[in-house]
Amino acid sequence: MKSARPARPAKPVVGITARTVPVTLQGTDMVVSLSLQSHVDFLAAAGCTPVVLPPGPGVEQLVGGLQGLLVPGGPDVDPALYGQERHPRTRGGSPDLDRAELALIGAALEAQLPLLAICRGMQLLNVRCAGTLHQHLPEVTGSDAHRPQGAGFEFGRHVLELRAGSRIAEIFGDDTPKTACHHHQAVDRIGTGLTATARTPDGVVEAVEAVGHPFALGVQWEAGQTEDDRLHRALADAARRS
C-alpha cells in the first residue's frame, strides 16, 4: 500500500486593500474595486497568492485567513481622525475607506500579521498608532520636491538616509534606492510603538516600523510604481515565516 504523499506547502495568502474608483467601460459609467497590477504581479512572483480586499465593513475579520497584508497609496486621510481641522489643500477622501483600512491595520498589528503600508497606508499606520500628519508638506519643507507640479503625474526623487540596524536597512543593504515620491502629506508626530527608520535629506519621514512586531513596515514613497520589488519580496518572506 502506497504511503500518502506529504501535502505541498500552500502559498502564503497576502491581502491587498482595493481602491474603489469610477471608470467608463465600453461606454458605461460604473464604479469598480481594483488594485495596482504591479502589487499583484510582484507578490505572485515572490511566491504568494495575492487577493484583493474590497474595503467594506467587517473586512478586518479576514485577517485570520491571511499571512500578510499590503495597504497601498490613495486619497488623503480625514484629519479629524488625528484631531485636526481640514487644511484647504487636503483632498476629500472616504470616511468608509478610512474606517475599513484603520480596522484592517489594527487587526494586523494585534495578530502580528506581516504588514507593508505604502504612502497613504503608512500615514494610516501612523494615525492608527495615535500619530499625526503634516497636511500640506510644502508649508514644512518650503518646496514641492515630494510632489512635483507638472503637466503629468511626476515623481520626486530622493536618496534615503536609512537607520542602521533597521528592517528597511536590512532590505536594501548598501543599494539604497532613490525614492519615487508623489505626496503632499507626511508623518508629523510619530505614533506610539512606531519608530522612524528612513528620512529624506530634508528631514521628511520616509519609513516607519512597529517596535516588537515581526514585520510591520510603512514607506512613504510609491513602492510598486517602479521596477524595484524588494519590499514586496520582503513582505512575501515574512508571510512565509508567519
Side-chain angles (χ1 to χ4, degrees), residues 17-36:
T17 55
R19 292 290 165 258
T20 303
V21 295
V23 300
T24 300
L25 184 63
Q26 296 181 335
T28 301
D29 294 335
M30 61 184 71
V31 177
V32 300
S33 292
L34 51 79
S35 169
L36 194 65

Side-chain angles (χ1 to χ4, degrees), residues 64-201:
L66 302 176
Q67 285 75 55
L69 176 66
L70 188 154
V71 182
D76 291 338
V77 179
D78 182 357
L81 293 170
Y82 49 94
Q84 293 185 11
E85 297 292 326
R86 185 176 295 274
H87 188 282
R89 299 296 293 275
T90 294
R91 299 169 294 167
S94 164
D96 290 342
L97 176 63
D98 288 343
R99 281 192 292 269
E101 292 194 321
L102 283 170
L104 264 174
I105 289 171
L109 292 174
E110 184 176 353
Q112 300 279 287
L113 184 75
L115 169 66
L116 174 60
I118 296 172
C119 198
R120 164 191 160 88
M122 171 173 141
Q123 294 169 8
L124 276 170
L125 172 61
N126 191 58
V127 170
R128 178 62 181 75
C129 294
T132 63
L133 305 178
H134 294 299
Q135 288 194 56
H136 193 53
L137 196 53
E139 295 178 350
V140 178
T141 63
S143 78
D144 289 319
H146 291 264
R147 190 177 69 174
Q149 301 302 300
F153 190 91
E154 297 183 20
F155 291 123
R157 302 288 182 173
H158 306 271
V159 177
L160 295 176
E161 298 171 354
L162 307 182
R163 198 178 81 185
S166 64
R167 175 77 65 181
I168 198 78
E170 176 187 338
I171 291 169
F172 290 118
D174 295 330
D175 185 18
T176 304
K178 272 191 173 182
T179 62
C181 292
H182 191 86
H183 61 98
H184 80 116
Q185 300 195 337
V187 166
D188 182 8
R189 187 182 73 242
I190 296 173
T192 303
L194 300 179
T195 184
T197 55
R199 295 179 185 266
T200 48

